[in-house]
C-alpha cells in the first residue's frame, strides 16, 4: 500500500440508497471515500451477515467493494459518470468479516473519452493485498447519463455537485 498522502473527503448525496455507498441503505456497506490526486480510498468493515463460508467475506461483496472503488475513481478523478462494462476479479487471500479493510481505486488508462480502464484493490488489516480487479468502464457526461437513462434528471441535479467536487476543490 502507498504511503498516505494528504487526502480529501469525497462527498456523496445524503439520501443515496446505493448498496455500496448509500448512507440511507441500512443493509448496505455504507462506504465513504477519501482521495489524493491519484487514488481514492475507503475503509470498510464487512459485517458477518455478508459472509460466504463461516466468517469469510462473500466474493460478491468483495466484488461490490471493488466495483464501487473503480466507479468512484471515474466519478471523482475524472469528473464523469462511469458505468461498469466488464470487470475481472482476482481473489488472492481469504478476507474475514468484522476486520478493517482498506480499498483503493485508481485510473489505469484513459483509452478514450468514453472508455476507461480502472483498478480496484482490497487490503486486509495487515496491509496484505487480498483482492484485485481490473474494470472497463464506460465514462459519460452528466447529460449523456440522463439521456441514456442511467439516472433521472432530478437525480442528476442532486448528484451534479458530487460529480464536480474535485474541480471545485472538494471537501476537506
Amino acid at each position: 500500500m502507498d504511503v498516505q498522502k494528504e487526502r480529501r473527503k469525497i462527498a456523496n448525496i445524503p439520501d443515496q440508497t446505493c448498496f455500496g455507498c448509500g448512507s440511507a441503505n441500512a443493509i448496505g456497506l455504507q462506504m465513504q471515500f477519501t482521495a489524493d490526486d491519484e487514488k481514492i480510498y475507503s475503509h470498510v468493515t464487512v459485517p458477518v451477515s455478508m459472509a460466504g463460508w463461516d466468517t469469510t467475506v462473500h466474493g460478491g461483496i468483495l466484488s461490490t467493494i471493488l466495483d464501487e472503488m473503480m466507479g468512484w475513481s471515474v466519478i471523482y478523478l475524472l469528473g464523469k459518470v462511469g458505468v461498469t462494462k466488464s470487470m475481472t476479479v482476482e481473489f488472492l487471500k481469504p478476507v474475514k468479516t468484522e476486520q478493517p479493510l482498506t480499498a483503493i481505486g485508481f485510473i489505469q488508462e484513459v483509452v478514450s473519452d468514453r472508455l476507461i480502464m480502472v483498478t480496484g484493490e482490497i487490503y486486509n488489516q495487515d496491509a496484505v493485498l487480498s483482492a484485485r480487479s481490473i474494470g472497463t468502464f464506460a465514462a459519460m457526461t452528466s447529460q449523456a447519463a440522463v439521456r441514456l437513462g442511467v439516472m433521472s434528471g432530478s437525480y442528476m441535479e442532486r448528484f451534479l455537485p458530487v460529480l464536480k467536487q474535485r474541480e471545485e476543490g472538494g471537501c476537506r
Side-chain angles (χ1 to χ4, degrees), residues 6 148 158:
E6 181 183 347
L148 294 170
R158 293 181 298 125

Side-chain angles (χ1 to χ4, degrees), residues 63-84:
S63 297
T64 297
I65 293 169
L66 292 165
D67 190 41
E68 286 291 310
M69 297 310 296
M70 293 186 297
W72 276 92
S73 293
V74 175
I75 290 166
Y76 185 78
L77 297 173
L78 300 179
K80 294 185 174 187
V81 174
V83 294
T84 313

Side-chain angles (χ1 to χ4, degrees), residues 91-102:
F91 301 102
L92 304 168
K93 302 273 183 192
V95 177
K96 296 298 180 184
T97 59
E98 304 297 336
Q99 301 295 317
L101 305 174
T102 300

Side-chain angles (χ1 to χ4, degrees), residues 37 77 106:
D37 292 334
L77 297 173
F106 56 93

Side-chain angles (χ1 to χ4, degrees), residues 79-81 113-114 139-147 156 163:
K80 294 185 174 187
V81 174
D113 281 347
R114 296 188 311 196
M140 61 194 77
T141 64
S142 57
Q143 298 89 346
V146 171
R147 186 178 69 251
M156 179 54 79
L163 203 56

Side-chain angles (χ1 to χ4, degrees), residues 111-125:
V111 178
S112 69
D113 281 347
R114 296 188 311 196
L115 191 63
I116 314 296
M117 300 297 294
V118 193
T119 297
E121 300 172 335
I122 297 174
Y123 294 84
N124 69 15
Q125 67 180 10

